[in-house]
Amino acid sequence: MEFKRRFGNRKKGNPKKGLFLVVLLIIVLYLFFNAESILERFL
């Protein structure tokens, strides 16, 4: 029972942080691969 409670508490706390990291990673990859086109627009 103790292991289930600990695991349940961890599972509740992680999704927001994990989702934030995934979104941040996607944004970084998008900027990395599209840096040239983005710079061309401003310059």
Side-chain angles (χ1 to χ4, degrees):
M1 294 297 288
E2 290 180 5
F3 289 108
K4 286 185 179 180
R5 287 178 185 173
R6 288 178 187 173
F7 185 74
N9 289 340
R10 286 181 185 177
K11 203 170 186 183
K12 286 181 182 177
N14 282 342
K16 289 182 180 179
K17 195 172 185 180
L19 185 66
F20 175 75
L21 289 172
V22 169
V23 171
L24 191 67
L25 183 65
I26 291 168
I27 293 169
V28 169
L29 288 171
Y30 176 79
L31 291 172
F32 179 75
F33 286 111
N34 293 314
E36 292 181 6
S37 61
I38 292 168
L39 287 171
E40 286 178 3
R41 289 179 188 173
F42 289 111
L43 295 174

